[in-house]
Amino acid sequence: MEKVLFTHVDQPEQHRIETYVKNGGYQALPKVLRDYKPDEVIDIVRKSGLRGRGGAGFSAGMKWSFVPRDTPKPKYLCCNADESEPGTCKDRVLMERDPHLVVEGIIIAAYAIQAHQAFIYVRGEFVYPAFRMEQAVAEAYAKGYLGRNILDSGYDLDLVVHTGGGAYICGEETALLSSLEGDRSLSRIRPPFPAVEGLYGCPTVVNNVETLANVPYIINRGPDWFRSHGTEKSPGTKIFSLSGNVKRPGNYEVDLGVPLSYVINDLGGGVPEGHTLKAIIPGGASTPLLLPHQIDTPLDFESMAQAGSMLGSGAIIVIDDGACMVWTAMKLIDFFQHESCGKCTPCREGTAWLKQLINRIEGGEGRPGDIDLILDVCGNIMGRTICPLGDAAVMPTESIIKLFRNEFEYHIDNKTCLVKTSYPLA
Amino acid sequence: MILTDETIRQIKIRMARYPSRRSAILPALTAAYKQVGHLNPAIYREIARVMDIPYIEIAEAASFYTMFPKHEVGRYLIQVCHNISCSLRGADNLIAYIEQKLGIALGETTPDKLFTLIAVECLGGCATAPTMQINDTYYENLTRARVDEIIADLRAKEEQDNR
């Protein structure tokens, strides 16, 4: 299968501008500045069918087209590199090993929406990826790909690498903007959408790293080529982060629409010897679980939704028979409770309740009625919060209870696990 | 003064990069954290003065971000991911092993003030789990042997620095 975004990531010097250029980099940018009007760039990307790779899967070209053309306000582009959802570790690879691909994508996207200031918001823990991005940005300035009058086109763009403070919520686009403005990272009610009123109250586009990394390739090879990968509604390739109980975890780039089993078994080698597959979290910690019989579900937005889950960020977490599902639910809810920003009461209080209830069951102190109480709390969070974090906490929790209710019941009745979780450290 | 001239210079460089200087609050907190190893109200006051932004706005932002410890920690802050992907590959036992090895519990610091051990949320090292971060550096695909080696290296480095 042809790799696109990962074509050059294994080359040791790919992060340096000379190597990037030698391998065909910075060819899309001059083409764009010379041959295309901003609207034409938006049109090309819209025709390609590129959908956001951060989790929501919204059309990138459409998002760009929502930015008003005739506003006197400045416009901003933010690259979302706050990769923090458990299971997701793909953007880091692009930033560390092919940072200029991300920079070139940012410049083209910024030109398309006519922004003269762009930011890349890198999660605070990613010191090394941020360093690589800083280095790439400095090299791009030195070669005239950033700054005043880029390649004599008359177009100006500044790009700032901004590092965060270790908060998952900053990956939500409105919370990212709050954080970038220097506030606590609280999400904001939409509408107004960022495309109309975003950073500093000005039109702003927020795109994921992987989304933007696709843009130079789409410009170079055209929307039809892009559509030759993937499915009709989910075109292109996608990087899947495969983690958990597989023999060969890793980041794998495949065409959208390949079966889940191809990534887990063919690429990842399946679950370790002596174990059987129990469940799959297919799109990052916030997505509902799939069962072993669903392993042939195609990895695209539509098929995943049809199977009752989500493609999300493409983080496939494989769980084998060694895991207690109450323990799994606890691991997940502990994360969401910690990361709730606290703005909306249902999420702030609800995730704390869920954490308490699930930890109590896992700790052998569960009471009759706790399972229904958990589901009741879930129902009072879902759809009642400003941003999707509340829903993100509910979806895997409800799903685990639905699929493995017997383990919760056993736990409450017997004060112990049905399956004793034990994953040794090698 | 807690902040060095170099840290203040870094903060000022960052302030100039943004359309609004408030946007440099997080970068300023990061610069202060890098220098001091933790944050506290005295530091917020100094940042507020350098940036000409009310103290409360600095404190408000700082208190939101858990990445910055708010009290003194050891020279090496060991941050072990305890989320699902790492847990499926032994993170619970990794924490237990480090606790036993250093003779401290989660949240504690060794008596020589060299190591503090905490559990953190997903570090984005899921495909190379279990993962931990010590100060700015990621350590991945961890095993007992690798942990022994990392701790021994840091201790050796410390001895060399003290010589």
Side-chain angles (χ1 to χ4, degrees), chain A residues 76 84 86-89 92 119 121 123-127 160 162-163 165 179-185 200 242-246 249-250 317-318 327-328 331 335 338-339 341 423-426, chain B residues 17-20 22-23 25-27 30 34 60-61 63-68 82-85 87-90 92-94 97 121-127 130 133 136 138 140 142-144:
Chain A
Y76 298 104
S84 314
T88 318
C89 49
R92 189 183 150 201
F119 299 94
Y121 190 110
R123 64 175 297 182
E125 293 89 340
F126 277 180
V127 176
V160 169
H162 182 90
T163 56
S179 179
L180 196 45
E181 288 175 8
D183 286 331
R184 293 165 78 85
S185 178
Y200 314 122
L242 181 65
S243 69
N245 306 129
V246 284
I317 306 170
V318 178
W327 174 85
T328 303
K331 287 286 176 185
F335 170 79
H338 185 272
E339 299 301 325
C341 81
Y423 290 108
L425 179 67
Chain B
R17 285 187 191 169
Y18 297 89
S20 152
R22 290 189 76 252
S23 286
I25 291 178
L26 200 39
T30 307
K34 297 248 141 115
E60 207 174 52
S63 64
F64 185 85
Y65 299 99
T66 51
M67 196 182 86
F68 310 116
H82 66 162
N83 287 141
I84 187 68
S85 294
S87 296
L88 290 168
R89 298 186 84 88
D92 293 349
N93 285 314
L94 171 60
Y97 183 67
E121 304 309 326
C122 186
L123 291 169
C126 320
Q133 180 176 13
D136 285 351
Y138 272 45
E140 295 162 82
L142 292 168
T143 59
R144 281 163 206 269

Side-chain angles (χ1 to χ4, degrees), chain A residues 249, chain B residues 89 125 127-131 139-143 146:
Chain B
R89 298 186 84 88
T128 45
T131 295
Y139 297 91
E140 295 162 82
N141 293 308
L142 292 168
T143 59
R146 184 75 186 105

Side-chain angles (χ1 to χ4, degrees), chain A residues 131-323:
Chain A
F131 163 73
R132 279 277 165 98
M133 288 309 303
E134 288 269 18
Q135 196 177 42
V137 167
E139 286 181 340
Y141 267 106
K143 295 272 183 198
Y145 295 123
L146 280 168
R148 303 283 141 255
N149 191 22
I150 297 170
L151 304 175
D152 272 332
S153 64
Y155 175 63
D156 307 332
L157 179 68
D158 284 308
L159 174 55
V160 169
V161 179
H162 182 90
T163 56
Y168 168 64
I169 188 70
C170 294
E172 192 280 323
E173 61 177 11
T174 63
L176 182 151
L177 299 176
S178 297
S179 179
L180 196 45
E181 288 175 8
D183 286 331
R184 293 165 78 85
S185 178
L186 307 183
S187 46
R188 308 170 179 173
I189 292 174
R190 293 173 294 184
F193 285 91
V196 179
E197 212 178 301
L199 190 64
Y200 314 122
C202 300
T204 304
V205 165
V206 183
N207 282 141
N208 171 261
V209 170
E210 186 186 353
T211 312
L212 291 167
N214 272 293
V215 172
Y217 284 103
I218 292 172
I219 297 295
N220 282 330
R221 302 185 192 176
D224 290 338
W225 162 82
F226 188 75
R227 285 187 167 281
S228 73
H229 291 277
T231 68
E232 198 200 326
K233 287 185 176 159
S234 301
T237 65
K238 173 89 190 76
I239 305 167
F240 289 95
S241 304
L242 181 65
S243 69
N245 306 129
V246 284
K247 285 187 199 141
R248 292 187 296 274
N251 284 290
Y252 298 103
E253 183 184 15
V254 295
D255 281 13
L256 279 163
V258 302
L260 187 50
S261 57
Y262 177 72
V263 177
I264 295 177
N265 294 331
D266 297 42
L267 299 174
V271 296
E273 239 44 83
H275 287 276
T276 53
L277 179 64
K278 186 169 188 176
I280 305 153
I281 305 179
S286 65
T287 58
L289 283 70
L290 296 180
L291 292 174
H293 73 269
Q294 293 172 296
I295 196 164
D296 288 318
T297 307
L299 283 165
D300 60 71
F301 292 102
E302 290 69 32
S303 306
M304 277 294 149
Q306 219 165 21
S309 189
M310 290 161 77
L311 189 75
S313 57
I316 302 169
I317 306 170
V318 178
I319 301 170
D320 71 14
D321 56 356

